[in-house]
Amino acid sequence: MKKIQMRAAYVVEIVTPKKFILNGLWFGPKKPKRVIIWIHGLGSSMFGKLLIADELVDHETAVLVFNNRGHNKVASVSGVGGKRIKGGAAHEVFTDCIDDIEGAINFARHAGVKNIYLAGHSTGSQKSAYWGYKKGKRVKGIILLAPMSDYSAATMLSGKRAVTRAAEVARKLVRKGRAHDLLPADVWDWKLLADAQRFLSLYSGESVEELFPYSQPHKNPTALKKSRVPTLVLLAEKDEFADRPAKKIAEWFDGHIRAPHRVVIVPKVPHSFKDGEKEVARAIRQFLRPRKTQ
């Protein structure tokens, strides 16, 4: 009989500064020395990387996972007073991630934790880096896991012609005031469901969300350069969304991050870091250690 996996956790409810309600789970001690706030990726959820959380939790470390407003394909995001907005991977507005992350940080602060870290996987890494650029205070460090360029991934997997055509349709919808209309299935793969504004944010290569433009040498990654938060970048050696070897992407990050940082390539793992959870946790624990002062 297969062993049943059970984890102890506290169920939490996060209220963001703009009064949206986000559900989450708190793993580990209620009064830890530090907490890692996990920002999940596009269409994922708070359950997406629990194996990594398992490896990180100890008597001094808690992990807070929560559903940001981009969870799953399509979601209804509720707020205080009964208000609701469209969310999920298809409808979220990228810049709203600031409100989500601020809500999670506030929750950790109110729990009495001073040493807070952000860990973002996939699109969660864009959200974490964007928060670091816009806010950049109240956390000890940011961890970017599999920070791929969505534009480069889309052009590699779907072809530049298809991306350009879909972008033209999306721009027309936005101009008509239909930013939250889904792109037709004959224009963009239904498995990559996105409304007009979400498509342009992810795949146009021109939005504020394109924070890691390693495939566009002419672009200056201002947000990445201006962040002063210590940063750990974890790349998957066999990332299926990478348009070039991990070593080349590592060199790009190493050359553009100005804050204290480290770039690590986790060998032989895909974008999800499946079977590399222990290696990921080991690198993160090393990053959490107090830095020696000069």
Side-chain angles (χ1 to χ4, degrees):
M1 184 176 177
K2 189 175 181 180
K3 186 178 179 181
I4 297 174
Q5 296 291 329
M6 299 182 72
R7 298 174 175 86
Y10 300 98
V11 178
V12 304
E13 186 176 88
I14 295 166
V15 179
T16 74
K18 294 183 179 179
K19 305 303 180 185
F20 286 97
I21 300 169
L22 308 174
N23 298 313
L25 296 170
W26 180 287
F27 294 96
K30 290 178 72 174
K31 298 293 182 182
K33 181 178 179 180
R34 67 184 70 86
V35 64
I36 300 168
I37 297 174
W38 193 271
I39 315 298
H40 66 71
L42 185 71
S44 186
S45 74
M46 60 181 167
F47 303 109
K49 293 289 174 286
L50 296 187
L51 291 178
I52 295 176
D54 284 346
E55 296 291 337
L56 291 170
V57 169
D58 58 32
H59 69 285
E60 291 187 331
T61 307
V63 176
L64 171 59
V65 301
F66 70 100
N67 279 346
N68 63 57
R69 66 189 77 188
H71 72 90
N72 300 104
K73 287 287 187 182
V74 176
S76 175
V77 182
S78 60
V80 175
K83 65 179 178 180
R84 287 186 177 274
I85 61 169
K86 289 181 179 180
H91 293 296
E92 70 170 327
V93 176
F94 175 73
T95 51
D96 287 341
C97 68
I98 296 292
D99 187 48
D100 292 354
I101 294 173
E102 284 287 288
I105 292 173
N106 289 343
F107 184 92
R109 285 284 186 184
H110 292 156
V113 186
K114 293 181 179 179
N115 298 312
I116 299 172
Y117 295 82
L118 294 184
H121 175 252
S122 194
T123 297
S125 63
Q126 274 94 337
K127 292 178 178 181
S128 299
Y130 186 66
W131 180 91
Y133 166 58
K134 285 294 187 179
K135 297 293 182 178
K137 296 180 180 178
R138 303 201 299 159
V139 302
K140 294 288 187 179
I142 292 176
I143 303 154
L144 308 178
L145 298 99
M148 296 291 99
S149 161
D150 290 301
Y151 170 74
S152 69
T155 54
M156 176 187 70
L157 296 171
S158 300
K160 191 170 183 178
R161 186 175 180 179
V163 173
T164 301
R165 177 179 175 238
E168 290 172 354
V169 173
R171 289 189 183 96
K172 287 179 181 178
L173 287 170
V174 171
R175 285 196 295 269
K176 292 178 181 178
R178 297 164 57 188
H180 286 292
D181 280 15
L182 295 172
L183 293 188
D186 62 344
V187 171
W188 191 242
D189 189 343
W190 67 269
K191 295 188 293 296
L192 302 173
L193 197 66
D195 67 20
Q197 63 81 30
R198 192 74 192 102
F199 179 91
L200 293 173
S201 184
L202 283 165
Y203 307 124
S204 70
E206 301 169 359
S207 74
V208 296
E209 191 169 356
E210 184 60 14
L211 290 163
F212 316 132
Y214 49 78
S215 67
Q216 302 179 78
H218 64 284
K219 281 193 172 292
N220 182 26
T222 304
L224 202 62
K225 286 182 174 180
K226 287 192 174 182
S227 174
R228 292 296 177 261
V229 184
T231 301
L232 171 65
V233 178
L234 291 170
L235 298 171
E237 184 185 30
K238 302 296 183 182
D239 199 312
E240 61 272 30
F241 298 108
D243 68 345
R244 63 201 63 205
K247 186 177 179 181
K248 291 292 185 183
I249 298 175
E251 290 172 355
W252 184 89
F253 275 100
D254 203 34
H256 289 91
I257 298 176
R258 299 290 182 259
H261 68 279
R262 185 180 178 216
V263 182
V264 176
I265 298 174
V266 181
K268 301 178 182 179
V269 296
H271 187 73
S272 66
F273 292 100
K274 186 178 185 300
D275 297 326
E277 292 87 0
K278 290 184 183 296
E279 183 71 22
V280 167
R282 190 159 37 244
I284 292 175
R285 282 195 298 270
Q286 185 175 354
F287 178 68
L288 300 181
R289 291 174 191 154
R291 293 168 183 80
K292 294 180 181 179
T293 56
Q294 298 295 326

